[in-house]
Amino acid sequence: QVQLVESGGGLVQAGGSLRLSCAASGIIFSINAMGWYRQAPGKQRELVARITKGGNENYADSVKGRFTISRDNAKNAVYLQMNSLKPEDTAVYYCNADIESLRSVQPYWGQGTQVTVSS
């Protein structure tokens, strides 16, 4: 069984920073792309940032220049450094990874971590 566990959310003032972490555990043969999504109340889940196994990154326009995604393949982990946070960044942030386990490659999701940015 594969699990993704996130940490690092919390409450921060506008202009502040947070770092989210996500680690995968279980029977893992390989991990392809990893990423972060977010969902604000009343809105659809949206992509924040994604990084391939080779390190290619892509970002939502709304976070470019403020957020940085990185990964540690040895630790099966992905991180999201969030700087210059704005109230509109408030959401539940979810980790996502395409993982090859016992039978197939499929997407896995973390349980979500709340990020709240006060004005």
Side-chain angles (χ1 to χ4, degrees):
Q1 184 176 359
V2 174
Q3 285 188 320
L4 296 178
V5 178
E6 300 130 335
S7 61
L11 172 64
V12 65
Q13 288 188 333
S17 299
L18 283 174
R19 185 174 187 250
L20 305 183
S21 300
C22 172
S25 63
I27 300 175
I28 298 171
F29 294 154
S30 67
I31 302 179
N32 298 324
M34 304 182 81
W36 291 93
Y37 292 71
R38 67 186 181 187
Q39 187 166 18
K43 294 188 177 181
Q44 289 188 330
R45 190 173 298 189
E46 63 175 1
L47 172 68
V48 176
R50 198 156 173 84
I51 184 168
T52 67
K53 190 173 184 178
N56 292 316
E57 306 164 22
N58 68 287
Y59 297 91
D61 288 343
S62 59
V63 306
K64 282 181 181 177
R66 300 188 297 122
F67 291 10
T68 302
I69 190 170
S70 61
R71 65 188 284 172
D72 185 334
N73 292 329
K75 295 182 178 180
N76 291 335
V78 63
Y79 309 96
L80 186 68
Q81 178 65 43
M82 305 185 292
N83 298 328
S84 302
L85 283 161
K86 304 175 181 180
E88 50 263 44
D89 294 319
T90 295
V92 177
Y93 283 70
Y94 296 90
C95 174
N96 167 268
D98 294 331
I99 296 175
E100 180 181 2
S101 187
L102 285 173
R103 296 177 181 172
S104 63
V105 177
Q106 64 182 66
Y108 289 85
W109 292 89
Q111 79 284 0
T113 185
Q114 177 70 46
V115 171
T116 303
V117 184
S118 62
S119 57

